[in-house]
Amino acid sequence: MVADSVVLQVQGLRFAYPECAVLEGFSLAWPAGLALVQGDESTGKTTLLRVLAGELTPQAGDITLRGVRRGAVPAAAWRAQVFWQDPRATALDPLTVRQWLGSLPAHCARWDAAALAAHVEGFSLEPHLDKPFFALSTGSRRKALMAAALASGAALTLIDEPVAGLDKPSVSYLGQALAEAARQPARLVVVAHYEALPGVPWDSVATLARPR
């Protein structure tokens, strides 16, 4: 792979919780497109996304996004290039979906309102826009987060366990939406899931195993 084509480079990444190590010497070099992080439960998929997002600080290793090393810029500047929302977090619970979506253009320089409208329709989110997040089902919550992620235009877009609670039409739409987002120049969309989603054209794949 030509160095100029690499959007995300990770070298020698190490992250350990007090009770166990999760990532040991992890490295990758991925171009723009659609990437899959796969593995069984407790292999570190969500942890890796949180480290890439700047939510967790690794004990060792370097992360470079579009030629900029994470440690060389302020945390806020790094996060401005990344879209990440943990579907398990409760911070959004008091907000309605519409309120939250309306706040995002101010934080996403490449926000695409037309794409958001398409994703709201594709995921059948319209009936849920004025509901608070705490009132959403697992599937509706994930659909709202993914609609925003895909519309964000972020250079690095991180999506965790995308099909939990989704109905079949939404799973089908998700595959189409992922492929479309990944065609945007210099954008990398990373999805963490225990296996490859059928019919999705992955450009890069990393498989995590439990540390020994």
Side-chain angles (χ1 to χ4, degrees), residues 58-204:
Q59 284 85 22
D62 285 324
I63 304 171
T64 303
L65 176 61
R66 295 204 298 189
V68 177
R69 191 168 60 83
R70 174 176 153 169
V73 296
W78 180 268
R79 292 181 183 133
Q81 299 296 312
V82 180
F83 189 96
W84 160 249
Q85 282 291 329
D86 189 337
R88 303 162 193 82
T90 59
L92 300 180
D93 281 1
L95 301 177
T96 67
V97 175
R98 193 185 303 275
Q99 287 172 330
W100 179 61
L101 292 174
S103 72
L104 294 178
H107 304 284
C108 302
R110 298 173 64 190
W111 182 260
D112 188 336
L116 177 65
H119 299 321
V120 167
E121 180 179 355
F123 284 127
S124 301
L125 275 171
E126 186 66 38
H128 305 291
L129 290 178
D130 293 308
K131 295 178 182 178
F133 272 88
F134 74 80
L136 297 179
S137 66
T138 297
S140 295
R141 186 185 190 95
R142 272 179 163 76
K143 288 190 282 187
L145 299 181
M146 290 190 294
L150 294 167
S152 71
L156 179 59
T157 301
L158 306 170
I159 299 175
D160 195 22
E161 298 296 349
V163 302
L166 262 62
D167 52 275
K168 288 185 178 179
S170 293
V171 173
S172 177
Y173 177 75
L174 172 63
Q176 301 170 31
L178 286 172
E180 182 177 340
R183 286 196 292 268
Q184 297 176 18
R187 184 181 190 187
L188 175 62
V189 179
V190 179
V191 176
H193 194 47
Y194 64 89
E195 63 181 4
L197 301 176
V200 176
W202 304 105
D203 298 296
S204 306

